[in-house]
Amino acid sequence: MKPTHIRLRRACAAAAAAGVLAVPAVSGSAYGATSPAPSPTPTTSSSTAPTTDAAFPQLTPAVAAQLDAAVREVMRATGVPGATVGLWAPGKGSYVKSFGVADKVTGEPMRGDLRVRIGSETKTFTVTALLQLVDQGKVGLDDPIATFVPDVPNGDRITLRELAGMRSGLFNYTLDPGMIKAFEGDPAQSFEPQQLLDYSFKHPVQFAPGAKFEYSNTNLVLLGLVVEKVTGRPLHDVIAQDVLEPAGLHDTLFPTDSRLPDPHAHGYTDQTASGKIEDATDWNPSWAWAAGAMISDLQDLRSWARVLATGTLLTPATQAERLKTTPMDIPGAGYGLGIFDVQGWIGHNGSLPGYETLTVYLPPAQATMVVVLNTDVDTKGQEPSTLFGEAVTQIVTPDHVYPGHKPLVPKKSG
């Protein structure tokens, strides 16, 4: 499992080059030429400037037609039931359109206002809550995890920074065969954080703290426990009050049960005991907790992309620490603290049974891209959100193609 999402059966690379893919069925939302409100000035420490990039195209009807065709190509090649794609850039207009269906049984069309599960984009919220505690002087990024959570392998050596940056060496619990069997046997069951850690800690550490990058959801479960211990509040309350409310995200939530509030898209997955595609809409996301349980929609993700990339909830110094990336196994990509920089696009993506999302921000153009899908079924080892992101950016930002042009290591069995 790599820096993009949270899956069970399969470990995967964050992205891979798509190649030319084929077409689609649609159900349109809308193309609009209105400009969004100006974005906050970025505090990013990467090689980006806060001025609008003249190379970003005007999102005219002609460009919209190109985007329509590209999205439909990927729809047909992947068999994704429903997709919504949004692009926004100051002075360049916007492109927001939905394709396909939100419910394969009723044929209800996909729409931009439907909530979905956002998988590992949850990590961006959990780490933001942690970094707010750093700003308050209540924790330090170089504090060892043993200060807050007992009995962690190498806990006296692994720092909060290494956990948030995916450099702890702790085994990823979602790759444990027992965890996979338990989940697939009853996707409605509820898991407690300690159960998730137990699945990880029965495995040896993978490498010395800080030695290399390796994506592990175990890291985020530990950071969620740190936030709870330091604040004395449940993680879902901390994120709701300290992150979502000041960010103005009213349709985003950290669920405490399996319900996906209306209106929502149905989600379809092949991460099942039989391997057949099933409706995973009401599966319990507690197994993902601080690493991947949250819910959102297109417009909230659009807003969050700017907040996250520009650090409006953090001090400039802490945001600069967040954006210090270390190399991933993706050309032109690095991972910071619960955030990635892939070909200049800053943000995160997510994959949970039934859903995938991609939420990224390009500082030179102050541009935002959000992709929302109601499936996580791969195509030839590639995640659908990656293929959509690449198809869109090949048109609008050929100098910043997400995730790049070189094929990556394909998914392998976990």
Side-chain angles (χ1 to χ4, degrees):
M1 189 174 299
K2 299 297 180 191
T4 112
H5 40 247
I6 176 161
R7 299 177 66 93
L8 276 94
R9 277 192 288 109
R10 297 180 290 271
C12 31
V20 179
L21 298 172
V23 330
V26 262
S27 176
S29 180
Y31 161 80
T34 56
S35 297
S39 304
T41 300
T43 57
T44 172
S45 60
S46 60
S47 57
T48 54
T51 55
T52 301
D53 187 352
F56 195 91
Q58 198 75 31
L59 294 172
T60 62
V63 172
Q66 286 183 274
L67 291 167
D68 287 353
V71 171
R72 289 170 179 164
E73 285 269 325
V74 181
M75 289 279 294
R76 187 172 70 175
T78 60
V80 168
T84 298
V85 176
L87 277 171
W88 302 266
K92 303 294 185 176
S94 62
Y95 171 92
V96 179
K97 193 161 187 177
S98 293
F99 302 77
V101 298
D103 187 331
K104 294 200 292 186
V105 174
T106 66
E108 176 189 355
M110 191 69 168
R111 305 194 315 267
D113 65 336
L114 300 180
R115 289 188 175 101
V116 297
R117 302 191 188 278
I118 63 172
S120 277
E121 292 202 41
T122 302
K123 293 175 172 67
T124 64
F125 294 92
T126 300
V127 174
T128 296
L130 176 79
L131 295 178
Q132 288 176 320
L133 297 177
V134 171
D135 278 340
Q136 294 164 20
K138 296 179 179 178
V139 303
L141 282 172
D142 297 313
D143 291 345
I145 185 61
T147 303
F148 309 96
V149 182
D151 303 321
V152 178
N154 275 350
D156 59 337
R157 298 172 57 203
I158 297 171
T159 66
L160 303 186
R161 185 192 302 273
E162 288 163 343
L163 291 167
M166 299 295 177
R167 302 180 70 85
S168 73
L170 294 172
F171 182 83
N172 187 352
Y173 71 88
T174 54
L175 299 183
D176 177 76
M179 169 69 201
I180 296 168
K181 183 177 180 180
F183 174 81
E184 290 183 342
D186 181 11
Q189 70 181 293
S190 181
F191 290 88
E192 294 297 323
Q194 188 57 52
Q195 289 177 271
L196 307 178
L197 295 180
D198 289 344
Y199 284 117
S200 171
F201 295 169
K202 68 183 182 182
H203 296 269
V205 296
Q206 307 298 291
F207 51 85
K212 65 177 184 176
F213 172 91
E214 186 172 282
Y215 197 79
S216 175
N217 294 304
T218 304
N219 298 338
L220 269 291
V221 172
L222 288 168
L223 293 181
L225 292 174
V226 171
V227 171
E228 290 196 330
K229 180 166 185 177
V230 174
T231 62
R233 294 182 284 155
L235 180 62
H236 62 268
D237 283 349
V238 175
I239 288 180
Q241 296 169 17
D242 300 351
V243 181
L244 301 181
E245 186 174 336
L249 307 184
H250 305 298
D251 292 313
T252 303
L253 67 150
F254 194 119
T256 56
D257 56 25
S258 60
R259 188 175 69 90
L260 183 51
D262 291 329
H264 65 260
H266 283 252
Y268 302 93
T269 188
D270 61 353
Q271 294 206 73
T272 58
S274 67
K276 296 180 180 178
I277 295 176
E278 296 179 12
D279 188 327
T281 305
D282 294 320
W283 287 7
N284 194 320
S286 61
W287 65 272
W289 196 51
M294 288 180 65
I295 293 165
S296 192
D297 68 5
L298 179 79
Q299 289 297 333
D300 268 14
L301 292 176
R302 171 197 175 186
S303 297
W304 181 240
R306 293 196 309 274
V307 170
L308 178 66
T310 62
T312 58
L313 298 184
L314 304 173
T315 64
T318 297
Q319 179 69 359
E321 291 297 308
R322 172 170 226 168
L323 293 177
K324 289 180 180 177
T325 62
T326 55
M328 293 161 30
D329 52 359
I330 302 170
Y335 201 83
L337 303 181
I339 196 170
F340 64 50
D341 182 333
V342 177
Q343 304 295 336
W345 289 98
I346 297 173
H348 217 287
N349 58 351
S351 181
L352 199 77
Y355 301 94
E356 286 199 351
T357 55
L358 172 62
T359 300
V360 287
Y361 183 83
L362 186 66
Q366 299 180 38
T368 299
M369 176 173 65
V370 178
V371 175
V372 173
L373 309 175
N374 63 344
T375 188
D376 67 314
V377 177
D378 292 351
T379 298
K380 297 180 180 179
Q382 299 303 316
E383 292 193 306
S385 64
T386 292
L387 302 181
F388 281 87
E390 183 171 55
V392 169
T393 55
Q394 282 177 335
I395 293 170
V396 297
T397 55
D399 292 333
H400 301 277
V401 174
Y402 176 93
H405 301 287
K406 296 182 181 179
L408 304 175
V409 178
K411 295 183 181 180
K412 56 182 183 294
S413 298

